[in-house]
Each structure stands twice: as C-alpha cells, then as structure tokens.
Amino acid sequence: MAIAQPAVLPEAGPFALYVVMKVIGGKDAVIAQCKSLHHRLATLNEQQPDANLRASMAFGKAFWQSLEKGCPAEFDDFTPLGDGDITAPATGGDILLHINSSRHDLNFYTLRCFLEPVAKDIEVLDETYGFKYLDSRDMIDFVDGTENPKTTEARSDVALIKDGEFAGGSFVMVQRFVHNLPAWNRLNIQAQEKVIGRTKLDSVELEDVPAASHVGRVDLKEEGKGLKIVRHSLPYGTVTGDHGLLFIAYCHTQHNFNAMLKSMYGETDGQSDQMLRFTKAVTGAYFFAPSVEMLESL
Ligand code: HEM
Ligand code: MG
C-alpha cells in the first residue's frame, strides 16, 4: 500500500512551519533536496525522540507537470474568488513544505538545512511559523478543529487518494489569512457566535446555524454525504504586526475545497461567509503531495 508523507495524517504538533517556494534555478538540485529531506528527518528524530518532527512536500501544478510523473486528472490551479472587500487571491508556488513538531527550533533548523545547498535556486514566497494557541483556538478566540476527522482511519479516508497511480497522495489547499481583530472584538459574543455558527466557550454547534455563518458555508452535504477535509491550520504572527490563521488542509479530491471556497466567497448562492468581513486571505494556492514512494521516485 502506498504510504502518505509523514505530516499529512497525524494530528499536528504544537508548532508548524509552512513554506511556499518558487524554483528559479536548477530543478534537479531542488528535487534532490526534496527527496533527501525525509532521510534527514529520520536522523533528527532519532537524536530528538520527543520532537515528533514530520514534514510533507507538495508541488504546484505547472512544476509537478514538469517532473513528468503524470498528473492527477482533477489537479487544477487555485483561481481567484469573490469581489469587493471579500476576495481570495491566487498567489501560486512550485513547492510547499509543511513541517510540524513539538519544537519551533527544529522546524526552523529543518528549513535552514533544506535551503542551504539550494539557496540560489529558490525564491521563498511565504515562510509562516504557526503555533497552537491556548486550547486550540484561532486568534478570533473560537476553538478551531472541532469537526476535523479524528481517527487515523477517518483521516486516511478523507485525505488520501485510494487507488490508481496516485494512491497515497493528497491534494493540499493553502490560504494565509490576516485578521482584523479590533473589528472582530467590537461584536458581542452572541454576534460572534452567529458569525461562526458554534458557541465560543465550548464549541457547540448552534441549534440554528445561520446560512451565512462560517459553519453554514463549509459544512456541506452532497447526496446526503458530508464533504470532509483534514485541516492542519494554526495561528501565526505577532501582536503588533500581521496575525491570523495559516489555513492548510488535505483531501483526496480537490472538489471538496472548490465547493467550500465557492460557498464562502458567494459563488454558490450569492451569500458569502460573514467571517470574511473580519479576516482577509493574502495568499491562496493548490498543491499535490505525492505518496512517499512517488516522491522517492522523482
Ligand atoms: C470549521 C475557523 C477558514 C473549512 C471551523 C470552525 C472554526 C473555523 C472556528 C469551527 C470549529 C471546527 O469545527 O473546527 C476558521 C478560520 C478561518 C477558516 C478562523 C480563516 C481565517 C476555512 C477555510 C475552509 C474552512 C478557508 C475551507 C475552504 C472548515 C470546515 C469546518 C470548519 C470544513 C468544519 C465544518 C463542520 O463540519 O461543521 N473553521 N476557518 N475553514 N472550517 Fe474553518
Ligand atoms: Mg456538522
């Protein structure tokens, strides 16, 4: 059975690093680094047994096609969404490196080691350090992750392509959001709960989830079946600078991401996600994370 890359399935450690890169030089040297990363991490994990250091590499469509390994039929680029104040830009990228662990320093060290030999070949488009905040809250102070699939079996079912040449692979969606917390904090708790669709203290779904709330927009069903994704998002940033959520999720099909995004950005029924009045996407991209075997065969 094809094995998923290490960061895809397990619940995230308290620290993560998300790096989106563009390849501007020697592709072969960069691919060699991508392939050797897992061996380097195995050594580091032996030396630091409590670190639970895990990484996954994923690739943008044009770059993946240039590797001539075939292309999953559904694999598409992220397209910009929304209009007016509520928009999602498409910012691209050739490689996504997603690292998580119990140690901020090892995430930093891993990226340093990865980049050193290929610094001239890579332009880093976004380097964001995420951290678990309080009791798994987003910075809007609501628990994030309550309805995420929990068991390994459920997470595999949702995240991994089951059969065929791309088995064990996964589609990845990334959006970095910058929050406007002063505006958010002007709402009282009841109003905030109506925007999210769950209670603030203990994350219980409201009896009447408003259609334009965040949960109302993304808790979708098709033919009686819920559309699921495996989220690995974490808060990031500084108090006085930009801060928000680095949204990242894995799924066996891009369809689920597309359906949720269309619904959030008003392209399904004209209603948009009320949460987007208080947070704005500044990046957006789709990637494909091949199985370990396919990564090693590059
Ligand atoms: C649920 C926050 C962006 C998909 C939630 C919940 C919160 C939350 C607080 C409820 C608790 C939970 O079940 O985890 C945020 C914030 C975002 C964001 C702060 C950005 C700033 C997104 C995006 C997507 C998404 C871009 C997908 C395109 C989901 C899904 C659920 C969820 C699928 C579970 C819905 C359910 O089954 O009830 N999010 N989210 N979220 N979010 Fe988000
Ligand atoms: Mg639900």
Side-chain angles (χ1 to χ4, degrees), residues 2 8 31 48 59 71 91 107 109 112 134 136 201 212-213 235 241 247-248 250 275 294:
V8 179
I31 290 299
Q48 314 278 345
F59 303 92
C71 192
T91 51
N107 296 348
Y109 177 75
R112 255 189 85 181
L134 304 172
S136 296
L201 184 67
S213 67
F247 178 91
I248 178 170
Y250 291 86
M275 183 183 73
M294 195 167 249

Side-chain angles (χ1 to χ4, degrees), residues 180-201:
N180 180 351
L181 292 181
W184 176 248
N185 290 329
R186 281 194 287 276
L187 299 187
N188 65 31
I189 291 184
Q190 224 184 359
Q192 289 181 342
E193 292 180 335
K194 288 203 169 110
V195 169
I196 299 300
R198 303 185 78 94
T199 60
K200 189 171 186 179
L201 184 67

Side-chain angles (χ1 to χ4, degrees), residues 270-289:
Q271 294 197 66
S272 53
D273 189 328
Q274 291 306 292
M275 183 183 73
L276 297 172
R277 290 162 50 214
F278 307 95
T279 188
K280 198 169 174 47
V282 294
T283 71
Y286 280 141
F287 299 91
F288 173 66

Side-chain angles (χ1 to χ4, degrees), residues 3 15-16 30 38 50 56 60 62 72 77 95 98 124 145 166 169 172 180 202 205-206 212 224 237 239 254 292:
I3 296 171
F15 295 101
V30 174
H38 290 296
D50 300 325
S56 298
D77 282 322
I95 303 181
H98 171 207
V124 172
F166 301 105
V172 198
N180 180 351
D202 43 13
E205 194 171 286
L206 301 186
V239 173
Q254 255 190 337
V292 170

